[in-house]
Amino acid sequence: MSDNRIASFEAGRLIALLGVIAIHSQVFIQAPLITGEPWLGLLINQLSRFAVPLFFIMAGYFIAPKLSTLPSSTVKQYSKPLLKVWLVWSAIYFLVPFNLQLAWEEGYLAERNGYWQYLLSQPLNTLFEGSLVHLWYLPGLICGLSVIAVCCHLKKQNLILPIAIGLYLFGLAAGSYGALTGLESPLFTRNGPFMSTLMLAAGFKIRQSGWQLSARNAAGLAICGMGLHMAEAGFLMRYDVPFNMHDFLLGTPLWGAGLFLMLKQRPLFGQSLAKLNISKHVLGIYLLHLLIIIYLMQLLPLLGITGYANDILLFVLTCLISYGVVALINKTPLRTLLLR
């Protein structure tokens, strides 16, 4: 069985996807309140931040052999379908109304105009993100791979990690740690190459060097990384930085790498999840799920569903509906347009 079909990697993709949906569906972000803060929701939000780093590390691991030997052709071949998908979904989210009540009462243009103005007000971020926030992952993936490909093309693979670390540290300094450093960036540093390059480089280097840890040591690395990430998020609250705003912190790469190495050492982990064969739909669900969340957030309260029931049902329905729609798309000619 090839690496990308190992049960633990299949399960890892699915668990990471659930983490992304948990972040975007804002589970328990309003309640219960503990010392005046919705700590359960805040913790779920940050405990799910392993998800995107794990996606990046896996991508770097799987593409490493081709990227190191044929960097130019590989990055082009890999990026073209991703860019196509990003453009198509950006067009969809640019055109599809989000506030259905406003569109019904005041018309399509009235609903869309405000959002279009928002996108135009930050053209650089829109360029590196797309027309809806979660689409940043695809340009970030392409940017990070391009940095690694240039190093490989110049036969300077020894520069990959220093460049990736430099980009990451600048991203943190002008991002989550901006309140301490005073640094600013015209581009939101979660986007582009700032964060993605280090995660991709980690997967790339693990594959190239054959580096591995025992499952126990990998778990220790993941726990230390997670603990550092959470401690940083708590520390930054002193500077009025919200606990749940962080996509990446200093501990995040260690967390993601530890989890990946755990999965690598336990190839049979999650066999029952892998048998569901859902991982082939992961990209499609990722692309679609936020629109489902937007609509369900409007629909469920209209049905009288509020509080904890709303939060739980929002998460569950988003998973089920997104999977169902993407599975249907995969059975139609639209799959070549909407999915990679």
Side-chain angles (χ1 to χ4, degrees), residues 16-75:
L17 178 63
L18 294 175
V20 170
I21 295 174
I23 293 168
H24 291 154
S25 59
Q26 302 181 59
V27 180
F28 303 132
I29 206 62
Q30 300 296 326
L33 297 179
I34 304 171
T35 64
E37 296 285 347
W39 276 110
L40 179 57
L42 296 176
L43 287 170
I44 290 173
N45 179 285
Q46 286 300 292
L47 286 171
S48 300
R49 296 294 176 169
F50 72 90
V52 172
L54 187 58
F55 281 140
F56 278 135
I57 292 170
M58 285 186 171
Y61 179 84
F62 295 135
I63 200 174
K66 288 185 178 180
L67 191 61
S68 60
T69 55
L70 298 168
S72 298
S73 59
T74 299
V75 78

Side-chain angles (χ1 to χ4, degrees), residues 6-22 50-51 54-55 58 263 269-283 285-286 315 319-320 323:
I6 287 176
S8 60
F9 291 151
E10 297 279 282
R13 287 189 183 97
L14 179 56
I15 294 169
L17 178 63
L18 294 175
V20 170
I21 295 174
F50 72 90
L54 187 58
F55 281 140
M58 285 186 171
L263 295 174
F269 168 78
Q271 286 187 92
S272 57
L273 290 176
K275 289 177 181 178
L276 297 175
N277 202 25
I278 295 175
S279 68
K280 65 181 180 181
H281 299 309
V282 164
L283 178 59
I285 294 171
Y286 180 91
F315 175 79
C319 294
L320 295 176
Y323 170 76

Side-chain angles (χ1 to χ4, degrees), residues 24-336:
H24 291 154
S25 59
Q26 302 181 59
V27 180
F28 303 132
I29 206 62
Q30 300 296 326
L33 297 179
I34 304 171
T35 64
E37 296 285 347
W39 276 110
L40 179 57
L42 296 176
L43 287 170
I44 290 173
N45 179 285
Q46 286 300 292
L47 286 171
S48 300
R49 296 294 176 169
F50 72 90
V52 172
L54 187 58
F55 281 140
F56 278 135
I57 292 170
M58 285 186 171
Y61 179 84
F62 295 135
I63 200 174
K66 288 185 178 180
L67 191 61
S68 60
T69 55
L70 298 168
S72 298
S73 59
T74 299
V75 78
K76 288 178 183 177
Q77 182 183 22
Y78 194 87
S79 298
K80 282 183 178 179
L82 291 177
L83 184 59
K84 179 205 73 174
V85 166
W86 177 76
L87 288 170
V88 169
W89 283 93
S90 288
I92 290 171
Y93 288 125
F94 187 80
L95 296 172
V96 170
F98 297 156
N99 189 326
L100 298 179
Q101 182 176 355
L102 181 61
W104 177 262
E105 293 176 351
E106 300 188 25
Y108 172 79
L109 290 178
E111 192 278 341
R112 285 284 81 192
N113 187 59
Y115 193 70
W116 291 341
Q117 291 300 319
Y118 164 74
L119 293 175
L120 292 173
S121 70
Q122 45 175 11
L124 190 59
N125 277 315
T126 298
L127 177 63
F128 281 88
E129 188 169 277
S131 62
L132 197 57
V133 60
H134 70 305
L135 297 179
W136 76 271
Y137 173 78
L138 297 179
L141 182 57
I142 293 170
C143 288
L145 289 175
S146 297
V147 171
I148 297 173
V150 169
C151 292
C152 292
H153 179 74
L154 297 174
K155 302 189 185 304
K156 297 289 185 180
Q157 290 195 23
N158 60 314
L159 294 180
I160 292 174
L161 276 180
I163 291 172
I165 291 170
L167 287 169
Y168 193 84
L169 291 178
F170 173 80
L172 289 181
S176 289
Y177 281 86
L180 281 75
T181 66
L183 286 177
E184 296 181 356
S185 170
L187 176 64
F188 182 36
T189 56
R190 180 206 55 197
N191 301 334
F194 298 105
M195 304 307 191
S196 62
T197 305
L198 181 57
M199 308 297 167
L200 289 162
F204 181 91
K205 288 295 185 180
I206 289 171
R207 183 66 174 266
Q208 289 298 93
S209 65
W211 188 54
Q212 56 185 338
L213 292 176
S214 67
R216 182 176 180 177
N217 288 339
L221 178 62
I223 291 169
C224 288
M226 180 183 68
L228 178 57
H229 178 107
M230 303 300 283
E232 290 174 82
F235 168 75
L236 288 168
M237 290 182 71
R238 301 179 185 180
Y239 298 89
D240 297 322
V241 183
F243 184 86
N244 62 324
M245 74 153 282
H246 309 289
D247 296 287
F248 299 94
L249 290 169
L250 287 171
T252 319
L254 302 177
W255 186 6
L259 289 173
F260 177 78
L261 291 167
M262 285 175 60
L263 295 174
K264 191 171 182 292
Q265 283 294 99
R266 291 287 184 266
L268 299 182
F269 168 78
Q271 286 187 92
S272 57
L273 290 176
K275 289 177 181 178
L276 297 175
N277 202 25
I278 295 175
S279 68
K280 65 181 180 181
H281 299 309
V282 164
L283 178 59
I285 294 171
Y286 180 91
L287 293 167
L288 174 67
H289 79 279
L290 195 47
L291 183 63
I292 304 300
I293 288 173
I294 290 170
Y295 287 158
L296 286 175
M297 281 182 169
Q298 299 170 67
L299 177 62
L300 293 179
L302 292 177
L303 298 175
I305 303 170
T306 58
Y308 303 150
N310 180 292
D311 289 357
I312 295 169
L313 200 56
L314 175 62
F315 175 79
V316 172
L317 287 178
T318 298
C319 294
L320 295 176
I321 295 172
S322 298
Y323 170 76
V325 172
V326 170
L328 287 175
I329 291 173
N330 265 302
K331 296 181 181 296
T332 74
L334 286 175
R335 67 182 182 275
T336 59

